[in-house]
Coordinates of all heavy atoms in Angstrom, one line a residue:
S28 N 0.8 -1.2 0.0 CA 0.0 0.0 0.0 C 0.9 1.3 0.0 O 0.6 2.2 -0.7 CB -0.9 0.0 1.2 OG -1.8 -1.1 1.2
W29 N 1.9 1.2 0.8 CA 2.9 2.4 0.8 C 3.4 2.7 -0.5 O 3.4 3.8 -1.0 CB 3.9 2.1 1.9 CG 5.2 2.9 1.7 CD1 5.3 4.2 2.1 CD2 6.4 2.6 1.1 NE1 6.6 4.7 1.8 CE2 7.3 3.7 1.2 CE3 6.9 1.4 0.5 CZ2 8.6 3.6 0.6 CZ3 8.1 1.3 0.0 CH2 9.0 2.5 0.0
N30 N 3.9 1.7 -1.2 CA 4.5 1.9 -2.5 C 3.5 2.4 -3.5 O 3.8 3.3 -4.3 CB 5.3 0.7 -3.0 CG 6.7 1.0 -3.3 OD1 7.1 2.1 -3.5 ND2 7.6 -0.1 -3.3
A31 N 2.3 1.7 -3.5 CA 1.3 2.1 -4.5 C 0.9 3.6 -4.2 O 0.6 4.3 -5.1 CB 0.1 1.2 -4.3
Q32 N 0.9 4.0 -3.0 CA 0.6 5.4 -2.6 C 1.6 6.4 -3.1 O 1.3 7.6 -3.3 CB 0.4 5.5 -1.1 CG -0.6 6.6 -0.7 CD -1.1 6.3 0.7 OE1 -1.4 5.1 1.1 NE2 -1.3 7.3 1.5
R33 N 2.8 5.9 -3.4 CA 3.9 6.7 -4.0 C 3.7 6.7 -5.5 O 4.6 7.2 -6.3 CB 5.3 6.2 -3.7 CG 5.6 6.1 -2.2 CD 6.8 5.2 -2.0 NE 8.1 5.8 -2.4 CZ 9.1 5.2 -2.9 NH1 9.1 3.9 -3.1 NH2 10.2 5.9 -3.2
N34 N 2.7 6.1 -6.1 CA 2.5 5.9 -7.5 C 3.6 5.0 -8.1 O 4.0 5.2 -9.2 CB 2.3 7.2 -8.2 CG 1.0 7.8 -8.0 OD1 0.0 7.2 -8.0 ND2 1.0 9.1 -7.8
V35 N 4.0 4.0 -7.3 CA 5.0 3.0 -7.8 C 4.2 1.7 -8.0 O 3.5 1.3 -7.0 CB 6.1 2.8 -6.8 CG1 7.0 1.6 -7.1 CG2 7.0 4.1 -6.7
V36 N 4.3 1.1 -9.1 CA 3.7 -0.1 -9.4 C 4.3 -1.2 -8.6 O 5.6 -1.3 -8.5 CB 3.8 -0.4 -10.9 CG1 3.1 -1.8 -11.3 CG2 3.1 0.7 -11.8
V37 N 3.5 -2.2 -8.1 CA 4.1 -3.3 -7.3 C 3.7 -4.6 -8.0 O 2.6 -4.8 -8.5 CB 3.6 -3.2 -5.9 CG1 4.2 -2.1 -5.1 CG2 2.1 -3.1 -5.8
I38 N 4.6 -5.6 -8.0 CA 4.4 -6.9 -8.6 C 4.8 -8.0 -7.7 O 5.8 -8.7 -8.0 CB 5.1 -7.0 -10.0 CG1 6.6 -6.5 -9.9 CG2 4.4 -6.2 -11.0 CD1 7.4 -6.8 -11.1
P39 N 4.1 -8.1 -6.5 CA 4.5 -9.2 -5.6 C 4.3 -10.6 -6.2 O 3.4 -10.8 -7.0 CB 3.5 -9.0 -4.4 CG 2.3 -8.3 -5.1 CD 2.9 -7.4 -6.1
K40 N 5.3 -11.4 -6.0 CA 5.3 -12.8 -6.5 C 4.8 -13.8 -5.4 O 5.2 -13.7 -4.3 CB 6.7 -13.2 -7.0 CG 6.8 -14.6 -7.4 CD 7.5 -15.5 -6.3 CE 7.5 -17.0 -6.6 NZ 8.0 -17.8 -5.5
S41 N 3.9 -14.6 -5.8 CA 3.5 -15.7 -5.0 C 2.8 -16.8 -5.8 O 2.3 -16.5 -6.9 CB 2.5 -15.3 -3.9 OG 2.1 -16.4 -3.1
V42 N 2.9 -18.1 -5.4 CA 2.1 -19.1 -6.0 C 1.1 -19.7 -5.0 O 0.4 -20.7 -5.3 CB 3.0 -20.3 -6.5 CG1 3.9 -19.7 -7.7 CG2 3.8 -20.9 -5.4
T43 N 1.0 -19.1 -3.9 CA 0.1 -19.5 -2.8 C -1.2 -18.7 -2.9 O -1.2 -17.5 -2.8 CB 0.7 -19.3 -1.4 OG1 2.0 -20.0 -1.4 CG2 -0.2 -19.8 -0.3
P44 N -2.4 -19.4 -3.1 CA -3.6 -18.6 -3.3 C -4.0 -17.6 -2.2 O -4.4 -16.5 -2.5 CB -4.7 -19.7 -3.4 CG -3.9 -20.9 -4.0 CD -2.6 -20.8 -3.4
S45 N -3.7 -18.0 -1.0 CA -4.1 -17.0 0.1 C -3.2 -15.8 0.1 O -3.6 -14.7 0.4 CB -4.0 -17.7 1.5 OG -2.6 -18.2 1.7
R46 N -1.9 -16.0 -0.3 CA -1.0 -14.8 -0.4 C -1.3 -14.0 -1.6 O -1.2 -12.7 -1.5 CB 0.4 -15.3 -0.4 CG 0.9 -16.0 0.8 CD 1.3 -14.9 1.9 NE 1.6 -15.6 3.1 CZ 2.8 -16.1 3.4 NH1 3.8 -16.1 2.5 NH2 3.1 -16.6 4.6
I47 N -1.7 -14.6 -2.7 CA -2.1 -13.9 -3.9 C -3.2 -13.0 -3.6 O -3.3 -11.8 -4.0 CB -2.4 -14.8 -5.1 CG1 -1.1 -15.6 -5.5 CG2 -2.9 -14.1 -6.2 CD1 -1.3 -16.7 -6.5
K48 N -4.2 -13.5 -2.8 CA -5.4 -12.7 -2.4 C -5.0 -11.6 -1.5 O -5.4 -10.5 -1.6 CB -6.4 -13.7 -1.8 CG -7.7 -13.0 -1.4 CD -8.7 -13.9 -0.8 CE -10.0 -13.2 -0.3 NZ -11.0 -14.2 0.2
E49 N -4.2 -11.9 -0.5 CA -3.8 -11.0 0.5 C -3.1 -9.8 -0.1 O -3.3 -8.6 0.2 CB -2.8 -11.6 1.5 CG -2.1 -10.7 2.5 CD -1.0 -11.4 3.3 OE1 -1.1 -12.6 3.5 OE2 -0.1 -10.7 3.7
N50 N -2.2 -10.1 -1.1 CA -1.3 -9.0 -1.7 C -2.2 -8.1 -2.5 O -1.8 -7.0 -2.8 CB -0.2 -9.7 -2.5 CG 0.8 -10.4 -1.7 OD1 0.9 -10.2 -0.5 ND2 1.5 -11.3 -2.4
F51 N -3.3 -8.6 -3.0 CA -4.2 -7.8 -3.8 C -5.0 -6.8 -3.0 O -5.6 -5.8 -3.6 CB -5.1 -8.7 -4.7 CG -5.8 -8.0 -5.9 CD1 -5.0 -7.3 -6.8 CD2 -7.1 -8.1 -6.1 CE1 -5.6 -6.8 -7.9 CE2 -7.7 -7.5 -7.2 CZ -7.0 -6.9 -8.1
Q52 N -5.1 -7.0 -1.7 CA -6.0 -6.1 -0.9 C -5.2 -5.0 -0.3 O -4.9 -5.0 0.9 CB -6.6 -7.0 0.2 CG -7.5 -8.1 -0.4 CD -8.0 -9.1 0.6 OE1 -7.3 -9.3 1.6 NE2 -9.1 -9.8 0.3
I53 N -4.8 -4.0 -1.1 CA -4.1 -2.9 -0.6 C -5.1 -1.7 -0.4 O -6.2 -1.7 -0.9 CB -3.0 -2.4 -1.6 CG1 -3.5 -2.2 -3.0 CG2 -1.9 -3.5 -1.7 CD1 -2.5 -1.7 -4.0
V54 N -4.6 -0.8 0.4 CA -5.5 0.3 0.9 C -4.8 1.6 0.8 O -3.6 1.7 0.6 CB -6.0 0.1 2.4 CG1 -6.7 -1.3 2.5 CG2 -4.8 0.1 3.3
E55 N -5.5 2.7 1.1 CA -4.9 4.0 1.3 C -4.6 4.2 2.7 O -5.4 4.2 3.6 CB -5.9 5.1 0.8 CG -5.4 6.5 0.8 CD -4.8 6.9 -0.5 OE1 -5.0 6.2 -1.5 OE2 -4.1 8.0 -0.5
L56 N -3.3 4.4 3.0 CA -2.8 4.7 4.4 C -3.1 6.1 4.7 O -3.1 7.0 3.9 CB -1.3 4.4 4.5 CG -0.9 2.9 4.2 CD1 0.7 2.9 4.2 CD2 -1.5 1.9 5.2
S57 N -3.2 6.4 6.0 CA -3.3 7.8 6.5 C -2.0 8.4 6.2 O -0.9 7.8 6.1 CB -3.6 7.8 8.0 OG -2.5 7.3 8.7
Q58 N -2.0 9.7 6.2 CA -0.7 10.5 5.9 C 0.3 10.1 7.0 O 1.5 10.0 6.8 CB -0.9 12.0 5.8 CG 0.3 12.8 5.4 CD 0.7 12.4 3.9 OE1 -0.1 12.3 3.0 NE2 2.0 12.1 3.7
E59 N -0.2 10.0 8.3 CA 0.7 9.7 9.4 C 1.4 8.4 9.2 O 2.6 8.2 9.4 CB -0.1 9.7 10.7 CG 0.7 9.4 11.9 CD -0.1 9.2 13.2 OE1 -1.4 9.3 13.1 OE2 0.5 9.0 14.3
D60 N 0.6 7.4 8.8 CA 1.2 6.0 8.7 C 2.1 5.9 7.4 O 3.1 5.3 7.5 CB 0.0 5.0 8.6 CG -0.7 4.8 9.9 OD1 -0.1 5.1 10.9 OD2 -1.9 4.4 9.9
F61 N 1.6 6.6 6.4 CA 2.5 6.7 5.2 C 3.8 7.3 5.5 O 4.9 6.8 5.1 CB 1.8 7.5 4.1 CG 2.6 7.7 2.8 CD1 2.7 6.7 1.9 CD2 3.4 8.9 2.7 CE1 3.5 6.9 0.7 CE2 4.1 9.1 1.6 CZ 4.2 8.1 0.6
D62 N 3.8 8.4 6.3 CA 5.1 9.1 6.6 C 6.0 8.2 7.5 O 7.2 8.3 7.4 CB 4.8 10.4 7.3 CG 4.2 11.4 6.3 OD1 4.3 11.3 5.1 OD2 3.6 12.4 6.8
K63 N 5.3 7.4 8.4 CA 6.1 6.5 9.2 C 6.9 5.5 8.4 O 8.1 5.3 8.6 CB 5.2 5.8 10.2 CG 4.7 6.6 11.4 CD 3.9 5.7 12.3 CE 3.4 6.5 13.5 NZ 2.5 5.6 14.4
V64 N 6.2 4.9 7.4 CA 6.9 3.9 6.6 C 8.0 4.7 5.7 O 9.1 4.2 5.5 CB 5.9 3.2 5.7 CG1 6.6 2.2 4.8 CG2 4.9 2.4 6.5
N65 N 7.6 5.8 5.2 CA 8.5 6.6 4.4 C 9.7 7.0 5.1 O 10.8 7.3 4.5 CB 7.8 7.8 3.8 CG 8.0 8.0 2.4 OD1 8.2 7.1 1.6 ND2 8.1 9.3 1.9
G66 N 9.6 7.1 6.4 CA 10.7 7.6 7.3 C 11.7 6.5 7.7 O 12.7 6.9 8.4
I67 N 11.4 5.3 7.4 CA 12.4 4.2 7.7 C 13.7 4.5 7.1 O 13.8 4.9 5.9 CB 11.9 2.9 7.3 CG1 10.6 2.4 8.1 CG2 13.0 1.8 7.4 CD1 9.9 1.2 7.5
T68 N 14.8 4.5 7.9 CA 16.1 4.9 7.4 C 17.1 3.7 7.1 O 18.1 3.9 6.5 CB 16.8 5.8 8.4 OG1 16.9 5.2 9.7 CG2 16.0 7.1 8.6
F69 N 16.7 2.5 7.6 CA 17.6 1.4 7.3 C 17.6 1.1 5.8 O 16.6 1.2 5.1 CB 17.1 0.1 8.0 CG 18.0 -1.1 7.8 CD1 19.2 -1.2 8.5 CD2 17.6 -2.1 6.9 CE1 20.0 -2.4 8.2 CE2 18.4 -3.2 6.6 CZ 19.6 -3.3 7.3
R70 N 18.8 0.9 5.2 CA 18.9 0.7 3.8 C 19.7 -0.6 3.5 O 20.7 -1.0 4.1 CB 19.7 1.8 3.1 CG 19.0 3.2 3.2 CD 17.8 3.2 2.3 NE 17.0 4.4 2.3 CZ 16.0 4.6 3.1 NH1 15.5 3.6 3.8 NH2 15.3 5.8 3.1
Q71 N 19.1 -1.4 2.5 CA 19.8 -2.6 2.0 C 19.3 -2.9 0.6 O 18.1 -3.0 0.4 CB 19.5 -3.8 3.0 CG 20.3 -5.0 2.7 CD 20.0 -6.1 3.7 OE1 19.2 -7.0 3.5 NE2 20.7 -6.0 4.8
R72 N 20.3 -3.1 -0.2 CA 20.0 -3.6 -1.6 C 20.2 -5.1 -1.6 O 21.3 -5.6 -1.3 CB 20.8 -2.9 -2.6 CG 20.5 -3.3 -4.1 CD 21.5 -2.7 -5.1 NE 21.5 -1.2 -5.0 CZ 20.6 -0.4 -5.6 NH1 19.6 -1.0 -6.3 NH2 20.7 0.9 -5.5

């Protein structure tokens, strides 16, 4: 939901039906919650 809210397309991979369904159920986060996720500073590629 956070990435979609940034207008970034997301392509989660799964072959498990319950996960495929779960991943499709994204929502609009509040600005406060979006900013919390956006503020994470740990970095790893």
